[in-house]
């Protein structure tokens, strides 16, 4: 099987730390294949809209289609890229952030060979809208890379934030502003941010504005994530609306694999699993007050949440299960879909 993978984002500065790049690398190890970026704004002198993504690659796509079995496209939302209609091999379209409550272009999605979503919310919505070629593929991480290092609640509460903003507006939508405001109100809380090479100076300015230099650490380099998780009590991932981050963020799956509870926004579909299992707490809104309420729940139920995280993280979200699920999707796609 030879798969050609596609990303619609710009090439990340640290692909080893970017979730979709990690996921594609795992699939490449299992199935082979290469990666193409459909976003022309890598080198375009003017910004080109998503409707034009991929057309600059059309000659290369034609050349490669002689040697591949199928295309696998990753995109956060169900955007109907016109380029996909020009592809001659089967197309698997993975909606990494799932779908929200607004009905997408079902006709476009139905013409694809297969559509995958990582969460039950999105799966049920698409099925309810009549999409028959949708598949549920749970996210997975290499659990063997992580070990559990207990952290007693006998000092500052240390929280890891590993979903950095790509743009300045995402300081708001990804809850960075709310987290800094929350920490300024809670002198016993320390935050560790794993950064991704974008807007570091802006982040440092905001940390200084809240007088948090002694309790907020921003790490803008590749690190041993297991080593960082060993030093914290829990991991936070926030979003003000569906579609901003992955439905099952890798940072939270890594945290569970290391036996550390998670704090997750209600808008992120993983919140359903957190509420159902008790492996952390759900943040009802991206505000300092709502974060504080979730943190209070975490502290009050910490031992039980840790025990659940240890069990869940090593069992439910394995890389092997994800690869097996995609193998089934690929085989179905090669047989004609459905």
């Amino acid at each position: 099987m030879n798969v050609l993978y596609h990303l619609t984002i710009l090439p990340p500065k640290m692909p080893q730390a970017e979730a979709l790049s990690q996921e594609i690398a795992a699939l490449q190890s299992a199935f082979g294949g290469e990666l193409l970026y459909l976003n022309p704004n890598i080198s375009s002198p003017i910004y080109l809209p998503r409707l034009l993504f991929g057309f600059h690659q059309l000659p290369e796509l034609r050349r490669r289609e002689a040697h591949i079995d199928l295309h696998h496209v990753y995109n956060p939302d169900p955007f109907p890229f016109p380029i996909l209609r020009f592809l001659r091999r089967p197309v698997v379209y993975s909606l990494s952030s799932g779908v929200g409550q607004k009905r997408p272009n079902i006709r476009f999605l139905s013409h694809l060979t297969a559509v995958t979503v990582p969460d039950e919310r999105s799966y049920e919505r698409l099925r309810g809208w009549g999409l028959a070629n949708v598949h549920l593929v749970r996210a997975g991480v290499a659990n063997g890379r992580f070990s559990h290092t207990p952290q007693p609640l006998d000092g500052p509460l240390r929280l890891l934030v590993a979903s950095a903003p790509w743009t300045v507006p995402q300081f708001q939508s990804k809850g960075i502003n709310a987290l800094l405001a929350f920490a300024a109100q809670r002198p016993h809380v320390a935050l560790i941010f794993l950064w991704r090479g974008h807007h570091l100076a802006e982040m440092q300015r905001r940390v200084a504005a809240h007088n948090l230099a002694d309790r907020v650490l921003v790490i803008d380099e590749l690190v041993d994530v297991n080593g960082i998780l060993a030093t914290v009590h829990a991991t936070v991932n926030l979003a003000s609306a569906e579609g901003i981050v992955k439905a099952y963020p890798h940072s939270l799956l890594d945290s569970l694999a290391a036996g550390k509870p998670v704090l997750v926004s209600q808008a992120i579909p993983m919140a359903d699993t957190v509420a159902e299992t008790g492996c952390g707490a759900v943040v009802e809104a991206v505000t300092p007050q709502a974060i504080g309420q979730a943190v209070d729940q975490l502290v009050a139920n910490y031992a039980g949440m840790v025990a659940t995280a240890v069990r869940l993280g090593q069992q439910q979200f394995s890389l092997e299960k994800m690869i097996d699920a995609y193998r089934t999707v690929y085989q179905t796609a090669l047989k004609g879909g459905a």
Side-chain angles (χ1 to χ4, degrees), residues 90-251:
V91 177
V92 175
Y93 190 1
S94 288
L95 304 176
S96 57
S97 296
V99 296
Q101 297 181 12
K102 182 180 178 180
R103 179 187 173 97
N105 187 332
I106 296 297
R107 182 178 179 183
F108 171 81
L109 295 176
S110 67
H111 282 92
L112 301 170
T113 312
V115 176
T116 77
V117 292
D119 65 287
E120 289 82 356
R121 283 188 201 176
S122 298
Y123 180 78
E124 294 301 333
R125 284 170 179 166
L126 289 174
R127 295 286 293 185
W129 287 321
L131 190 66
N133 60 339
V134 60
H135 303 260
L136 176 63
V137 178
R138 290 184 178 274
V141 295
N143 294 340
R145 297 188 296 115
F146 298 95
S147 56
H148 177 55
T149 302
Q151 281 292 335
L153 291 173
D154 57 0
L157 181 70
R158 293 180 296 279
L159 303 177
L160 176 65
V161 188
S163 181
W166 288 68
T167 64
V168 171
Q170 285 188 347
F171 278 84
Q172 180 67 28
S173 62
K174 282 192 170 184
I176 308 301
N177 293 343
L179 281 164
L180 293 176
F182 160 72
Q185 300 169 3
R186 300 279 188 112
H188 69 287
V189 171
L191 301 176
I192 299 175
F193 289 87
L194 297 187
W195 222 242
R196 296 294 181 260
H198 297 275
H199 309 295
L200 177 61
E202 178 62 22
M203 179 60 173
Q204 293 170 332
R205 185 189 69 78
R206 296 183 187 216
V207 171
H210 285 282
N211 296 314
L212 289 171
D214 59 332
R215 290 191 286 119
V216 172
L217 175 63
V218 183
I219 303 175
D220 190 34
E221 60 186 27
L222 284 176
V223 295
D224 174 13
V225 176
N226 186 52
I228 295 294
L229 284 166
T231 69
V232 303
H233 295 93
T235 300
V236 186
N237 199 309
L238 303 178
S240 59
E242 292 178 301
I244 294 174
V245 301
K246 289 189 68 177
Y248 278 77
H250 276 205
S251 63

Side-chain angles (χ1 to χ4, degrees):
M1 187 184 303
N2 192 359
V3 183
L4 184 58
Y5 296 94
H6 304 277
L7 278 173
T8 60
I9 61 172
L10 292 172
K13 293 184 178 181
M14 300 181 190
Q16 304 95 322
E18 195 275 321
L20 293 183
S21 298
Q22 291 178 16
E23 186 165 310
I24 290 174
L27 294 176
Q28 286 176 306
S29 296
F31 303 110
E34 297 180 333
L35 170 63
L36 281 182
Y37 286 90
L38 297 180
N39 191 326
N41 295 300
I42 301 169
S43 56
S44 175
I46 60 171
Y47 177 79
L48 296 175
R50 291 204 288 177
L51 287 171
L52 299 179
F53 279 21
F55 284 104
H56 69 299
Q57 294 274 26
L58 190 55
E60 178 67 10
L61 289 167
R62 287 281 182 261
R63 184 184 69 80
R64 296 201 185 199
E65 281 194 314
H67 309 286
I68 68 168
D69 298 302
L70 57 85
H71 298 273
H72 188 167
V73 181
Y74 276 86
N75 191 60
D77 64 325
F79 186 80
F81 292 98
I83 187 62
L84 301 187
R85 296 184 181 273
F86 288 80
L87 301 180
R88 296 170 177 170
R89 297 294 186 185
V91 177
V92 175
Y93 190 1
S94 288
L95 304 176
S96 57
S97 296
V99 296
Q101 297 181 12
K102 182 180 178 180
R103 179 187 173 97
N105 187 332
I106 296 297
R107 182 178 179 183
F108 171 81
L109 295 176
S110 67
H111 282 92
L112 301 170
T113 312
V115 176
T116 77
V117 292
D119 65 287
E120 289 82 356
R121 283 188 201 176
S122 298
Y123 180 78
E124 294 301 333
R125 284 170 179 166
L126 289 174
R127 295 286 293 185
W129 287 321
L131 190 66
N133 60 339
V134 60
H135 303 260
L136 176 63
V137 178
R138 290 184 178 274
V141 295
N143 294 340
R145 297 188 296 115
F146 298 95
S147 56
H148 177 55
T149 302
Q151 281 292 335
L153 291 173
D154 57 0
L157 181 70
R158 293 180 296 279
L159 303 177
L160 176 65
V161 188
S163 181
W166 288 68
T167 64
V168 171
Q170 285 188 347
F171 278 84
Q172 180 67 28
S173 62
K174 282 192 170 184
I176 308 301
N177 293 343
L179 281 164
L180 293 176
F182 160 72
Q185 300 169 3
R186 300 279 188 112
H188 69 287
V189 171
L191 301 176
I192 299 175
F193 289 87
L194 297 187
W195 222 242
R196 296 294 181 260
H198 297 275
H199 309 295
L200 177 61
E202 178 62 22
M203 179 60 173
Q204 293 170 332
R205 185 189 69 78
R206 296 183 187 216
V207 171
H210 285 282
N211 296 314
L212 289 171
D214 59 332
R215 290 191 286 119
V216 172
L217 175 63
V218 183
I219 303 175
D220 190 34
E221 60 186 27
L222 284 176
V223 295
D224 174 13
V225 176
N226 186 52
I228 295 294
L229 284 166
T231 69
V232 303
H233 295 93
T235 300
V236 186
N237 199 309
L238 303 178
S240 59
E242 292 178 301
I244 294 174
V245 301
K246 289 189 68 177
Y248 278 77
H250 276 205
S251 63
L252 300 187
L253 301 185
D254 290 349
S255 187
L256 293 180
K260 299 302 172 78
V262 299
L263 301 175
V264 57
S265 288
Q266 177 61 47
I268 300 174
M270 187 174 172
D272 297 345
T273 297
V274 173
E276 179 183 347
T277 63
C279 63
V282 176
V283 183
E284 297 297 336
V286 182
T287 65
Q289 180 182 11
I291 295 170
Q293 292 170 346
V295 166
D296 291 342
Q297 294 176 32
L298 173 75
V299 172
N301 302 282
Y302 189 66
M305 289 183 179
V306 168
T308 302
V310 169
R311 173 180 54 80
L312 194 68
Q314 288 295 327
Q315 294 178 2
Q316 189 163 339
F317 301 105
S318 73
L319 197 60
E320 292 76 19
K321 288 182 178 180
M322 184 195 75
I323 290 172
D324 285 344
Y326 273 122
R327 180 178 288 108
T328 299
V329 173
Y330 290 167
Q331 291 171 345
T332 301
L334 292 175
K335 294 176 182 177

